[in-house]
Amino acid sequence: MKSSHKKSNRMLIGAGIFLVVYLLASVIFGSFLIDRFSIQELPNRNVTHVTVWRNW
């Protein structure tokens, strides 16, 4: 009986570690994709760039 409890505890700990790593990887990869696609879409917007020259 004790060996089955130890095995199930190890499986639960392993599953928890797997889920934590999977969630971290998905968040990092998702934020990387969002940053990459948002930078590519910026030139399509109508943005007025104003350059100010100051005479020193």
Side-chain angles (χ1 to χ4, degrees):
M1 203 61 182
K2 277 191 170 184
S3 63
S4 65
H5 284 297
K6 285 183 181 179
K7 190 174 183 180
S8 63
N9 284 343
R10 284 185 194 162
M11 288 178 69
L12 284 174
I13 291 172
I17 291 172
F18 173 77
L19 285 175
V20 168
V21 170
Y22 183 77
L23 284 173
L24 283 175
S26 63
V27 166
I28 291 169
F29 187 69
S31 63
F32 170 74
L33 285 179
I34 288 172
D35 288 342
R36 186 171 181 177
F37 286 122
S38 66
I39 289 172
Q40 286 181 355
E41 290 179 2
L42 280 177
N44 295 334
R45 297 180 183 164
N46 294 328
V47 178
T48 305
H49 295 280
V50 178
T51 306
V52 177
W53 292 94
R54 179 180 280 182
N55 296 327
W56 293 96

